[in-house]
Amino acid sequence: MAVLALVVSVCSVLYSARQTKAAAEQARIGNAMAAVSANDMALRSLREVHLLMLERPGSRAYFYADEPLPERPEERDEIVTIAELLADVMCSGVHVHQQVPGSTSAEAWDDYCRATLATSPVLRERVRAHPEWWPQLVALLPGD
């Protein structure tokens, strides 16, 4: 009887170890899927902002070529609005990548945000004017 109990106990331990290994593999796959999904969401949102830029020829320069804000109020309002949308996307992307374990694109996303903030006076102005709106971007602002 003791031998049977020992065999059952060993089988139980082996089965438990196998279940633990399978659960760890499922968690790893789940984390990888979450990272892919997070990156896809951020890039999809970024594409939407870039489509807005395409609809307004010349607007890209305000975000990627150090172009100062236009003087005309209508143009200025459009660029500020696009800047706020871009800041929302950038902040969300940084936050989501920070929350997803194993996100391999978190560093690249931070680099993109740093580079964009460095080449966009309007983005820098917006983030500095409202740091509580985009807290993840404040740390990525260039030191002037």
Side-chain angles (χ1 to χ4, degrees):
M1 193 66 147
V3 171
L4 181 62
L6 180 61
V7 168
V8 168
S9 180
V10 168
C11 288
S12 175
V13 167
L14 291 174
Y15 183 72
S16 178
R18 205 166 132 203
Q19 282 184 319
T20 301
K21 183 179 175 184
E25 179 65 10
Q26 285 178 339
R28 186 189 67 72
I29 291 169
N31 287 342
M33 292 301 296
V36 167
S37 179
N39 196 48
D40 184 56
M41 179 278 309
L43 291 175
R44 231 177 309 140
S45 297
L46 185 59
R47 277 195 252 0
E48 293 293 322
V49 174
H50 284 161
L51 288 172
L52 288 174
M53 290 180 199
L54 283 173
E55 292 173 3
R56 289 156 188 83
S59 64
R60 185 177 170 82
Y62 297 106
F63 305 99
Y64 300 111
D66 275 318
E67 186 71 28
L69 273 170
E71 295 298 320
R72 286 190 27 230
E74 304 81 31
E75 266 186 284
R76 188 178 189 86
D77 288 347
E78 285 182 356
I79 297 305
V80 167
T81 300
I82 294 172
E84 290 174 347
L85 291 169
L86 183 55
D88 289 343
V89 169
M90 290 167 53
C91 190
S92 176
V94 170
H95 177 73
V96 167
H97 282 92
Q98 288 172 346
Q99 300 304 309
V100 176
S103 173
T104 58
S105 55
E107 188 176 327
W109 190 255
D110 283 359
D111 290 345
Y112 166 75
C113 292
R114 273 190 197 89
T116 305
L117 286 163
T119 58
S120 178
V122 64
L123 268 175
R124 290 193 304 273
E125 184 279 324
R126 295 278 74 207
V127 172
R128 286 185 177 126
H130 301 285
E132 67 283 359
W133 293 359
W134 303 290
Q136 282 80 7
L137 298 183
V138 174
L140 302 177
L141 283 167
D144 289 331

